[in-house]
Amino acid sequence: MSKPLFGIYGASGCGRGIMPLAREWVLKQGFSLDRLVFIDDGNHNPESVNGHRIVNYTDFLALEASERRVSVAIANSHVREKIALRLQQDQVLSWSIQASNCVIMDEVSLGEGAILSPFVTLTSNIRIGQHFQANLYSYVEHDCIIGDFVTFAPSVRCNGNIVIEDHAYIGAGAVIKQGTPDQPLVIGRGAIVGMGAVVTKSVPAGVTVVGNPARPLVKPSILN
Ligand code: UDP
């Protein structure tokens, strides 16, 4: 009788960071580690990394399995969305992974396919969409609403009453100032918050902000 098959999609930095958490879960469920592979469509040489076989997506689908569960561990949110759609079409189940030391408090709804790295904290009354990635030591404080395919690099400090729209990317060590229930601070769809930025007011959709206080990044129009 065939057994479930588990995949971490992406064998680069993000995937390798998540694999030990996946491994811990798979072992705890009593499955053997040969049921856990990396999926990567790039050229993989060698054919395994950190003790796990790498297969491309077509080969993953061809492996015998009673069911397939995949976690998309790729930081680029648009790639993540494209792959998530393909998985859905192929009836591959979405797999959420979280470190055993994450802290999740009251009334937190977390969409499918989330990846929560070690030391992530989600406090109370938080709504988060699908395929959220929160890297090491990030936190989300009370009453935040986070959309789909949002990405947090390590140590993001997302304070209370903040809305983060779909596909926003928050860089390492960024701090986002608390909003209020009447006027949440909003990070717009697809906005990028640079590493170490201190965000004190809302960021429009698609805009990149950097610095303290964070301001829109102005690219020089003339190169010297
Ligand atoms: N990748 C893939 N299929 C795709 C797009 C990307 O397998 O359709 C893989 C790609 O080959 C690479 C990984 O996803 O190994 C993304 O790695 P990258 O270093 O760009 O970023 P990170 O690991 O930080 O997300």
Side-chain angles (χ1 to χ4, degrees):
M1 202 181 78
S2 63
K3 296 184 177 133
L5 184 64
F6 302 94
I8 298 297
Y9 213 129
S12 192
C14 192
R16 280 180 285 123
I18 293 313
M19 183 53 99
L21 309 177
R23 185 159 62 228
E24 187 184 333
W25 186 89
V26 164
L27 286 174
K28 224 182 246 173
Q29 302 306 308
F31 298 114
S32 70
L33 283 183
D34 62 355
R35 304 308 295 165
L36 174 61
V37 299
F38 281 111
I39 306 166
D40 200 292
D41 304 308
N43 286 331
H44 17 90
N45 180 24
E47 285 169 355
S48 75
V49 65
N50 297 350
H52 295 276
R53 194 155 44 124
I54 311 178
V55 296
N56 65 32
Y57 184 56
T58 309
D59 291 345
F60 178 78
L61 290 183
L63 290 171
E64 204 175 308
S66 58
E67 65 172 49
R68 293 180 176 75
R69 238 169 231 282
V70 169
S71 177
V72 188
I74 294 177
N76 183 310
S77 67
H78 295 284
V79 174
R80 218 152 71 228
E81 183 171 27
K82 179 192 78 176
I83 290 174
L85 262 173
R86 198 191 301 154
L87 294 170
Q88 209 176 32
Q89 282 158 5
D90 292 333
Q91 284 159 1
V92 174
L93 300 170
S94 190
W95 188 20
S96 294
I97 293 180
Q98 71 183 60
S100 53
N101 66 0
C102 287
V103 176
I104 299 184
M105 298 183 179
D106 287 338
E107 302 295 330
V108 174
S109 99
L110 189 56
E112 66 172 29
I115 294 180
L116 305 181
S117 293
F119 304 101
V120 164
T121 298
L122 310 176
T123 70
S124 296
N125 305 96
I126 293 166
R127 204 166 76 228
I128 300 177
Q130 53 171 313
H131 292 273
F132 177 54
Q133 284 190 5
N135 216 315
L136 303 167
Y137 291 100
S138 290
Y139 71 73
V140 179
E141 256 286 13
H142 64 90
D143 299 302
C144 285
I145 299 174
I146 295 183
D148 296 330
F149 302 100
V150 169
T151 311
F152 282 11
S155 293
V156 166
R157 284 165 277 176
C158 174
N159 291 296
N161 288 301
I162 289 168
V163 172
I164 302 185
E165 295 177 352
D166 300 351
H167 287 285
Y169 177 89
I170 317 295
V175 185
I176 310 174
K177 187 184 175 191
Q178 176 159 348
T180 63
D182 294 348
Q183 217 168 351
L185 188 150
V186 179
I187 307 289
R189 183 185 167 90
I192 297 175
V193 173
M195 178 168 58
V198 178
V199 180
T200 56
K201 52 187 188 195
S202 293
V203 178
V207 167
T208 297
V209 296
V210 295
N212 177 9
R215 294 200 172 93
L217 181 66
V218 181
K219 290 186 186 139
S221 54
I222 301 169
L223 293 175
N224 295 318

